[in-house]
Amino acid sequence: IFLNHLFFFCSQAQGTLAYQTYIHHLLGFTGFYLTLYTEGIPVIFGVMSLSLEASTIFLNLRWFTFEFKVKGTTIPLINSTMLFLAYFFARMIFQTYISFWLAYPNFYKTWILSTSDDIIKLGKDPLAFRAAGAFMLVTNVLSQIINYHWFGLIMKQVYRNIAKALG
């Protein structure tokens, strides 16, 4: 997946997309780095979150079909279908599930209910530990909001394609 991201980014990083991509990867990198500091459940959540990138493969292929004007074949149709399915199951279902089952309850338990003494016993600085947790929480919430928005856009495209096919 990393090479897929790198190739896509290097071939398309222009204008607004480049800035969005830089910010996306900076936040993701920072979040993963912070899981090394906080340890425990955030590491598990971070690794599980990598599966969200399953849809990126089809998104990148979609870009290539548009860039090289691949039309009139079944390739764009199959790829768009796979993008929809991967996006729906990875980013809508799985991310929501692991967020509400794993991330948010753990955030409450670890960062809200824990005292500074509890955090010090873990060998962590309470301020840094809480700041890392807040950063990871905010970036996950933002990620979910953005994914719901993009899924709405995907659904509009699906609706337009179905309406066009039906005449």
Side-chain angles (χ1 to χ4, degrees):
I1 292 177
F2 171 75
L3 292 177
N4 185 340
H5 267 71
L6 183 63
F7 181 72
F8 179 73
F9 179 70
C10 291
S11 65
Q12 191 182 359
Q14 303 169 22
T16 305
L17 179 62
Y19 295 117
Q20 292 172 7
T21 305
Y22 288 135
I23 291 168
H24 167 81
H25 286 95
L26 178 64
L27 292 175
F29 174 80
T30 304
F32 268 91
Y33 179 76
L34 291 174
T35 67
L36 297 175
Y37 176 72
T38 58
E39 301 173 330
I41 296 295
V43 177
I44 296 167
F45 179 78
V47 172
M48 292 173 79
S49 295
L50 286 175
S51 66
L52 304 180
E53 297 301 329
S55 63
T56 304
I57 296 165
F58 303 107
L59 180 65
N60 293 351
L61 289 172
R62 182 178 167 86
W63 178 83
F64 280 112
T65 62
F66 284 127
E67 184 70 19
F68 294 106
K69 298 172 182 45
V70 178
K71 295 181 181 179
T73 67
T74 57
I75 293 172
L77 177 62
I78 291 170
N79 185 63
S80 291
T81 302
M82 293 303 295
L83 172 60
F84 172 79
L85 292 172
Y87 200 95
F88 177 73
F89 285 109
R91 295 182 188 252
M92 298 292 91
I93 302 295
F94 188 68
Q95 182 182 19
T96 300
Y97 175 73
I98 64 174
S99 293
F100 284 92
W101 171 73
L102 185 65
Y104 301 146
N106 184 68
F107 178 83
Y108 180 75
K109 184 176 116 189
T110 305
W111 281 276
I112 305 298
L113 296 181
S114 295
T115 66
S116 292
D117 289 337
D118 295 333
I119 296 169
I120 291 169
K121 286 177 188 174
L122 297 173
K124 311 291 182 193
D125 175 67
L127 181 62
F129 190 77
R130 288 196 170 102
F135 179 86
M136 289 185 287
L137 176 69
V138 168
T139 55
N140 188 67
V141 169
L142 290 175
S143 171
Q144 283 191 280
I145 291 169
I146 290 167
N147 284 332
Y148 289 136
H149 170 72
W150 286 338
F151 189 69
L153 296 177
I154 290 170
M155 290 305 299
K156 284 180 183 178
Q157 182 65 40
V158 167
Y159 176 77
R160 282 194 299 267
N161 288 343
I162 291 172
K164 184 178 174 183
L166 296 176

